[in-house]
Amino acid sequence: MAEEPTEIASNISYHAQYSPHFSPFKFEPEQAFYATAESLRDRLIQQWNETYRHFHASDPKQTYYLSMEYLQGRALTNAIGNLDIRDAYTDALNKLGHELEEVVEQEKDAALGNGGLGRLASCFLDSMATLNLPAWGYGLRYRYGLFKQRIGKDGQEETAEDWLEKFSPWEVVRHDTVFPVRFFGSVEVHPAGSRKWVGGEVVQALAYDVPIPGYKTKNTISLRLWEAKAGAEDFNLFQFNDGQYESAAQLHSRAQQICAVLYPGDATEGGKLLRLKQQFFLCSASLQDIIFRFKERKDGKGLREWSEFPSKVAVQLNDTHPTLAIPELMRLLMDDEGLGWDEAWDVTTRTISYTNHTVLPEALEKWSQAVMWKLLPRHMEIIEEIDRRFMAMIKSTLPDLESKVSSMCILDNNPQKPVVRMANLCVVSSHTVNGVAQLHSDILKAELFADYVSVWPTKFQNKTNGITPRRWLRFCSPELSNIITKWLKTDQWVTNLDLLTGLRQFADDAHLQAEWESAKMANKERLTQYIKQVTGVSIDPSSLFDIQVKRIHEYKRQLLNILGAVYRYKKLKAMSPEERKKTTPRTIMIGGKAFATYTNAKRIVKLVDDVGAVVNNDLEVNSYLKVVFVPNYNVSVAEMLIPGSELSQHISTAGMEASGTSNMKFALNGCLIIGTLDGANVEIREEVGEENFFLFGATADEVPRLRKERENGLFKPDPRFEEAKQFIRSGAFGSYDYNPLLESLEGNSGFGRGDYFLVGQDFPSYMDAQERVDEAYKDRKRWIKMSILSTAGSGKFSSDRTISQYAKEIWKIEECRVP
């Protein structure tokens, strides 16, 4: 394990020569990246092996985190940062004629996620490793992930991600870890009453492991990603030689589809089947792996008792996508291991816990019973039985709740559209259900799952989300990090984020303020160069950088943001040159992907781009306002945008964003938030101080009443709101037909109308809050002080805090540090 730059350089050269992936005569930045990654991987594999040897010898209870998404971001910067060898690698690459910065840029982001759900899972893995917890992540190895976003003349265009086009140097394929996963088929009933799922098609799940190093610790844990394969025996040589090439390799092609794309379109029956296959494939492979590992461990008397399983295994479902782990664990225990129902149910319910991430009805998964019976006949039998027993329990022990049973049961047998309600199955079968911010957890208990609370009052918890301070401050903003370390006289804050409160005593110090401002300016200048490079737009680093980056969704209200920008532009146009000089120059940046089939979201992307094209080329006002759509938002783009931001917008309709985590990243980086009382905004505002947060908008408990009033025709729109819409309709931003988008904000009710997300309702208070922002920004001393206090109040939002709460209060696991 090379420590010195000279040794590291020779190790990198060794890999360039003996782990070659390119012809031997080139050593350009791309080749340097792969050789550097492999030299780091040697070290990670050594730590990894030590970690799992130690876990094996200590035999602790372990957590298995099941998630359909992981947004890992680049691994090279993270690994050298967590291993604390950045300087050594910088020097080593210099000796070989390369700059670390340029080499890092060669790495493509792993396209294994979409948004906050997947990024949260990745922050959690970082914290599990850093806290030395015995844990694994399980996911799918998507060939193309979500999609790469380009902005063309028609708005967003989707192309396939190419992150695996060459290969990923971080993954290690485990050819000895392969499990069969069945689809379709039928259920055989044996004379003694036992049942077996047979027939159908069987694909193989092959494990690829990615090492996750902790920060300044030897512990390195695994993200295990499954790939679907068919074997040689599934290739029909006779058909192939007969010229039937497609049908000869039918199972191979069906296996490849499973891990091709994240969230394939599900408008067709085939699309629904494919999504369900993905979910089941993840659950079945992961549980077979977990059970195999449990059975491998024998105690002095031979095999372990199954009743011990929950004292060795905790399975966390990250949202409803891995719900099928519940019936699959029941099936494996009963049909393969011979347990009776009661024993299997006891093991399952003590093993599995569920995190709810949304109250949006369209995101609470409901699967067609017909599709489920077709793909997973044995699982549907088990789900029916869980449901039957649950309803019988309610009738016999809580007769007062009988009237609520139709909404609480798992199977909705509505003759028009019989479905399985996955969230209900999770709540009934898990020992713990948690929300991801205090407000969200309160809404779950008071509304979404209120009836279950009377059955199981202690089942529901809150675990406010967090982010890793390593990736989201220490590594992405070294200038600011160094200043924090200098003023706190310690770098311990990187693993104990509460220490940031120590900055409060210096918030008025002119020296700190000057250093702080120059660090923020360095980040803004870096961002300015990036924006020029990817969009061609020149922005002024002395203007206020105002950023909103997240998935494009109507509830997140990028539309409110761009309508505000349109109104600001119209006002600037009407001013005299003297009046304009008194305004606060602002650069508004919006980024995020709209789901490929989500028409209104794609219209919003198009509108932002169209507004930018006009505003940025208007010589009268473009030194006071720029509007930029930042393409192909991902983790690496976020690492550039967040440190350079000064104001960030978290403006969802109150009660709709479960938590949000980008709000935490921005606040940690000394960025002020303009936002509603939604998700974790509520707690961020408490921590950073109300006077350091620009609040506007209706509250969650007012929203239902405001919607009702709107339906009754009582809403009176603000003239500024009408003016902004009218300006877009006038054709000021081109000839694209924005009527369908604007009409969604009009009328009093009806599908696609009636402004369900209350953009018009909140517009006036939003514009007033933006005026307060403009005023505050003019007072530099005040603004920098607010920025310092924002970072100082962000300690609570470390994923280390979140994960230690999960470990103590849900998983009951303890530190298992490699000596």
Side-chain angles (χ1 to χ4, degrees), residues 623-639:
S623 48
Y624 302 99
L625 180 64
K626 288 264 170 79
V627 175
V628 181
F629 188 88
V630 185
N632 203 40
Y633 180 57
N634 62 17
V635 178
S636 296
V637 176
E639 288 170 333

Side-chain angles (χ1 to χ4, degrees), residues 427-616:
V427 173
V428 168
S429 316
S430 302
H431 60 81
T432 306
V433 175
N434 73 285
V436 289
Q438 194 59 58
L439 174 72
H440 171 237
S441 298
D442 292 344
I443 290 172
L444 292 184
K445 284 185 4 190
E447 294 168 31
L448 197 64
F449 300 140
D451 296 329
Y452 299 104
V453 176
S454 44
V455 186
W456 298 292
T458 59
K459 186 178 279 201
F460 297 86
Q461 296 188 7
N462 173 55
K463 295 286 167 277
T464 297
N465 283 342
I467 54 168
T468 165
R470 273 74 63 185
R471 187 180 288 271
W472 294 114
L473 179 55
R474 181 68 199 91
F475 306 152
C476 71
S477 183
E479 294 91 345
L480 205 59
S481 297
N482 293 339
I483 290 167
I484 293 169
T485 297
K486 175 185 157 183
W487 285 79
L488 294 180
K489 297 190 169 49
T490 175
D491 65 356
Q492 294 294 302
W493 60 269
V494 180
T495 49
N496 178 4
L497 207 57
D498 291 331
L499 294 176
L500 291 178
T501 54
L503 291 170
R504 287 183 180 145
Q505 58 182 312
F506 306 119
D508 285 305
D509 188 301
H511 297 292
L512 174 58
Q513 289 189 356
E515 288 176 27
W516 197 268
E517 188 159 23
S518 78
K520 287 299 286 183
M521 183 49 87
N523 287 327
K524 288 175 75 178
E525 281 165 351
R526 199 177 301 141
L527 177 53
T528 301
Q529 287 170 350
Y530 176 77
I531 294 295
K532 177 74 177 157
Q533 177 199 325
V534 295
T535 67
V537 180
S538 298
I539 59 178
D540 174 8
S542 68
S543 63
L544 166 58
F545 279 14
D546 164 355
I547 300 184
Q548 185 183 21
V549 279
K550 46 187 82 241
R551 280 185 306 133
I552 310 291
H553 197 296
E554 286 168 286
Y555 89 82
K556 293 178 186 283
R557 299 201 296 191
Q558 287 91 350
L559 188 50
L560 175 59
N561 185 345
I562 195 62
L563 284 168
V566 164
Y567 184 75
R568 179 181 283 268
Y569 173 58
K570 189 168 188 284
K571 290 282 285 184
L572 280 166
K573 286 295 281 177
M575 287 178 187
S576 67
E578 268 50 57
E579 289 174 310
R580 282 186 202 125
K581 285 190 183 119
K582 293 183 191 137
T583 62
T584 301
R586 193 186 281 232
T587 302
I588 298 171
M589 296 173 239
I590 297 178
K593 294 177 179 177
F595 193 66
T597 54
Y598 189 172
T599 314
N600 248 8
K602 292 177 87 166
R603 288 183 183 126
I604 293 169
V605 174
K606 172 79 174 133
L607 177 60
V608 174
D609 197 54
D610 284 350
V611 170
V614 171
V615 172
N616 302 344

Side-chain angles (χ1 to χ4, degrees), residues 687-718:
E687 297 291 321
V688 304
E690 294 175 10
E691 65 289 355
N692 303 311
F693 187 105
F694 297 98
L695 179 68
F696 75 94
T699 58
D701 51 358
E702 293 170 337
V703 166
R705 172 180 60 80
L706 291 165
R707 285 189 182 135
K708 203 89 225 107
E709 287 175 7
R710 173 101 197 200
E711 277 175 33
N712 297 334
L714 299 174
F715 171 67
K716 301 230 176 339
D718 186 90

Side-chain angles (χ1 to χ4, degrees), residues 179-369:
F179 295 99
V181 178
R182 186 182 306 276
F183 303 111
F184 307 111
S186 58
V187 181
E188 271 181 4
V189 185
H190 298 157
S194 65
R195 306 172 91 84
K196 197 94 182 154
W197 182 24
V198 296
E201 65 183 40
V202 178
V203 298
Q204 303 300 321
L206 171 65
Y208 283 75
D209 285 355
V210 180
I212 309 291
Y215 180 73
K216 293 190 182 179
T217 170
K218 282 188 190 165
N219 283 52
T220 299
I221 61 172
S222 280
L223 167 57
R224 177 157 282 182
L225 301 170
W226 298 107
E227 176 170 81
K229 294 183 93 68
E233 69 280 5
D234 298 309
F235 183 82
N236 189 321
L237 205 53
F238 177 80
Q239 281 187 329
F240 191 85
N241 288 330
D242 192 35
Q244 301 174 50
Y245 307 125
E246 273 80 21
S247 46
Q250 222 172 5
L251 192 65
H252 286 76
S253 122
R254 284 210 289 273
Q256 274 183 327
Q257 290 164 10
I258 293 172
C259 293
V261 173
L262 169 65
Y263 302 140
D266 59 353
T268 61
E269 163 105 358
K272 288 185 175 65
L273 270 170
L274 183 55
R275 275 207 194 189
L276 200 54
K277 268 187 174 181
Q278 287 184 332
Q279 295 188 356
F280 179 66
F281 182 74
L282 168 67
C283 297
S284 181
S286 305
L287 285 169
Q288 289 182 70
D289 193 28
I290 293 165
I291 286 176
F292 174 79
R293 204 168 303 127
F294 174 77
K295 285 167 70 174
E296 209 182 30
R297 304 285 318 188
K298 300 177 172 63
D299 59 19
K301 302 183 290 294
L303 280 178
R304 280 188 164 147
E305 294 295 316
W306 282 105
S307 56
E308 287 176 51
F309 189 78
S311 63
K312 289 295 174 189
V313 172
V315 172
Q316 185 70 37
L317 309 182
N318 191 26
D319 217 356
T320 50
H321 312 123
T323 305
L324 292 166
I326 295 161
E328 174 66 350
L329 183 52
M330 290 292 290
R331 181 190 75 82
L332 290 166
L333 293 173
M334 293 190 298
D335 301 3
D336 291 5
E337 303 298 338
L339 273 64
W341 179 279
D342 292 334
E343 199 183 348
W345 180 246
D346 178 63
V347 168
T348 299
T349 52
R350 290 196 295 133
T351 301
I352 289 180
S353 44
Y354 157 62
T355 301
N356 171 283
H357 282 277
T358 183
V359 295
L360 290 181
E362 74 267 20
L364 286 167
E365 292 186 288
K366 296 180 177 71
W367 286 101
S368 144
Q369 291 186 22

